[in-house]
């Protein structure tokens, strides 16, 4: 009897233990994934908490050893696009017979600054050009060489231009080029803005000359006050020839013997150099007047009716003759420059002082007030504004009403300030 009771109790314990194990197994499977109960699908082994596999451990140890054995390659240092490190590279040599300046129309070699705003750091980058930057320009020859070197450069520049230009264009050829590169025929043009003819713009002109014999240049803003200087600098620095001008729009011809494959080497400026310090345009007292008379004149000048209002990025070619005519009847002239930047109307005042000529009174309230002076004498011969100019021969065949030139020459060659 005792033996039978022991067997029954042990069987019950065994069955109860089996049920307990099966229930725990189902709970573990249900808690990990419900795929088995819903879809009768065995979950992949990645969902289980797998025991550590000796094979995977050996694989990871071997990969770690190989990674440790491999040396990490050091990342190269960042180099800016300007690539300041010029180790092992020779500087660019350019045989252009003129000094490199940021702007050829808005800076004059005759005017010397009184100081520099920063150290003499070349805008071409260190050791990129075989010329030394003086803070204002990169001279072609030593500035202390004398007048002989300057005359040699002038003769070399003239010789290169004559060789590139070759024979002069006939009137029919010029008319065809003007019509071909006019505003109605092509949209390709170069915009000349407040900085005038910059050094990098020379490279743009030669790039356009690859596509055609001429290029249209649209001049806007401050440089248009002195269009004679703009045309002279374009022909002098690019070795081209202007064959047509209508207001601020020019057409620059490259020349008969121009070869795009033998274009001159023009090193690019990587950044704009800081402008040097020049003497003040407006002084405390006007020369020849006392302090009280200067204050009274400035007060009176701001109350004078404005002669004209300058538009931003407009064409100011008629400003100089307009002021000369106004000085025949008025002593003070005020020009409204509201909307223009301060440096722009300061440049306008500086140009008017040299071209009219006149005396600057004030730049207050975005106005340019100028005085004709005590002993004012009007310029002899007058100055007539010509909206359109031809540059070769007679223009009777032109249908667009271009005015005639003077014996095949431009008004810019005659020395007129218009």
């Amino acid at each position: 009897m005792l033996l039978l009771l022991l067997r029954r109790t042990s069987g019950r314990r065994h069955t109860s233990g089996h049920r307990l194990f099966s229930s725990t197994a189902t709970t573990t499977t249900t808690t990990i994934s419900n795929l088995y109960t819903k879809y009768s699908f065995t979950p992949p082994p990645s969902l289980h908490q797998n025991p550590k596999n000796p094979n995977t451990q050996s694989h990871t140890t071997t990969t770690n050893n190989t990674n440790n054995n491999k040396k990490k390659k050091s990342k190269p240092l960042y180099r800016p696009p300007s690539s300041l490190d010029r180790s092992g590279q020779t500087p660019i040599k350019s045989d252009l017979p003129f000094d490199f300046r940021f702007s050829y129309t808005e800076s004059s070699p005759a005017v010397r600054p009184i100081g520099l705003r920063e150290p003499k750091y070349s805008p071409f980058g260190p050791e990129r050009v075989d010329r030394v930057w003086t803070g204002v320009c990169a001279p072609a020859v030593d500035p202390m060489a004398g007048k002989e070197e300057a005359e040699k450069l002038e003769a070399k520049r003239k010789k290169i231009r004559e060789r590139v230009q070759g024979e002069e264009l006939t009137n029919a050829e010029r008319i065809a080029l003007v019509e071909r590169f006019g505003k109605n025929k092509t949209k390709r043009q170069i915009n000349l803005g407040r900085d005038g003819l910059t050094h990098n713009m020379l490279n743009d002109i030669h790039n356009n000359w690859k596509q055609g014999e001429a290029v249209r240049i649209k001049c806007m803003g401050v440089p248009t006050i002195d269009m004679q200087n703009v045309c002279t600098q374009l022909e002098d620095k690019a070795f081209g020839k202007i064959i047509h001008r209508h207001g601020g729009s020019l057409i620059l011809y490259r020349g008969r013997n121009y070869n795009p494959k033998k274009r001159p080497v023009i090193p690019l400026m990587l950044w704009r150099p800081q402008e040097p310090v020049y003497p003040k345009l407006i002084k405390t007292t006007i020369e020849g007047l006392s302090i009280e008379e200067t204050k009274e004149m400035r007060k009176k000048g701001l109350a004078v009716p404005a002669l004209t209002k300058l538009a931003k990025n407009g064409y100011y070619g008629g400003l100089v003759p307009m002021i000369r005519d106004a000085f025949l009847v008025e002593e003070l002239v005020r020009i409204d420059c509201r909307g223009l930047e301060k440096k722009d109307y300061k440049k306008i005042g500086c140009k008017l002082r040299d071209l009219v000529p006149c005396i600057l009174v004030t730049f207050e309230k975005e106005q340019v007030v100028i005085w004709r002076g005590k002993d004012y004498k009007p310029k002899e011969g007058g100055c007539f504004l010509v909206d359109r100019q031809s540059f070769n021969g007679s223009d009777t065949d032109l249908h667009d009403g271009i005015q005639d030139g003077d014996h095949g020459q431009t008004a810019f060659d005659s020395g007129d300030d218009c």
Side-chain angles (χ1 to χ4, degrees), residues 141-241:
V141 295
D142 189 6
M144 305 301 293
K147 293 183 178 180
E148 294 181 359
E149 294 294 333
E151 292 175 356
K152 287 182 180 179
L153 279 180
E154 185 71 23
K156 183 179 179 182
R157 197 157 56 237
K158 186 177 180 181
K159 186 177 180 181
I160 292 174
R161 189 169 181 273
E162 290 177 354
R163 176 174 52 82
V164 172
Q165 288 298 315
E167 296 180 2
E168 291 187 1
L169 291 172
T170 62
N171 196 28
E173 289 174 337
R174 186 179 55 81
I175 292 171
L177 285 173
V178 170
E179 291 181 351
R180 180 182 171 190
F181 294 95
K183 195 173 182 180
N184 298 329
K185 295 292 183 179
T186 177
K187 294 182 180 179
R188 185 184 293 272
Q189 76 174 13
I190 296 175
N191 295 325
L192 190 146
R194 66 174 60 161
D195 293 328
L197 176 61
T198 59
H199 178 77
N200 289 353
M201 196 178 292
L202 296 175
N203 191 43
D204 296 337
I205 291 172
H206 286 279
N207 288 338
N208 280 271
W209 278 346
K210 284 183 180 180
Q211 309 297 329
E213 295 176 286
V215 60
R216 188 173 69 250
I217 301 174
K218 186 178 181 181
C219 306
M220 302 174 291
V222 180
T224 58
I225 294 177
D226 191 2
M227 285 300 296
Q228 176 187 353
N229 185 32
V230 172
C231 295
T232 303
Q233 294 296 330
L234 276 170
E235 292 184 345
D236 187 48
K237 301 301 184 293
F239 307 117
K241 187 173 184 180

Side-chain angles (χ1 to χ4, degrees), residues 39-57:
Y39 304 104
S40 299
F41 176 75
T42 306
S46 59
L47 297 178
H48 295 288
Q49 296 180 356
N50 293 330
K52 293 182 180 180
N53 193 355
N55 296 326
T56 56
Q57 284 183 354

Side-chain angles (χ1 to χ4, degrees), residues 116 120 132-139 143:
L116 299 176
K120 298 177 183 179
V132 180
W133 183 258
T134 62
V136 179
C137 66

Side-chain angles (χ1 to χ4, degrees), residues 27-134:
T27 52
T28 53
T29 55
T30 53
T31 53
I32 294 173
S33 176
N34 294 326
L35 296 176
Y36 181 77
T37 56
K38 290 183 178 180
Y39 304 104
S40 299
F41 176 75
T42 306
S46 59
L47 297 178
H48 295 288
Q49 296 180 356
N50 293 330
K52 293 182 180 180
N53 193 355
N55 296 326
T56 56
Q57 284 183 354
S58 62
H59 180 68
T60 52
T61 53
T62 53
T63 54
N64 290 331
N65 293 331
T66 54
N67 291 332
N68 292 331
N69 293 332
K70 289 182 180 179
K71 293 182 180 180
K72 292 183 178 179
K73 294 182 180 179
S74 59
K75 215 173 183 182
L77 297 175
Y78 172 73
R79 304 179 78 179
S82 58
S83 185
L84 299 179
D85 186 12
R86 298 282 296 176
S87 57
Q89 298 184 15
T90 57
I92 299 172
K93 185 178 181 180
S94 180
D95 295 330
L96 289 173
F98 54 83
D99 301 344
F100 293 159
R101 292 176 171 269
F102 173 73
S103 177
Y104 297 103
T105 57
E106 302 306 301
S107 61
S108 174
V111 180
R112 294 186 177 181
I114 59 176
L116 299 176
R117 301 180 189 272
E118 62 177 12
K120 298 177 183 179
Y121 196 78
S122 175
F124 299 100
E127 300 179 2
R128 280 184 167 266
V129 184
D130 61 342
R131 298 190 184 184
V132 180
W133 183 258
T134 62

Side-chain angles (χ1 to χ4, degrees), residues 319-332:
L319 189 60
V320 172
M322 191 187 299
I323 293 172
R324 288 177 180 172
D325 292 341
F327 275 160
L328 296 176
V329 293
E330 296 291 339
E331 185 180 9
L332 288 169

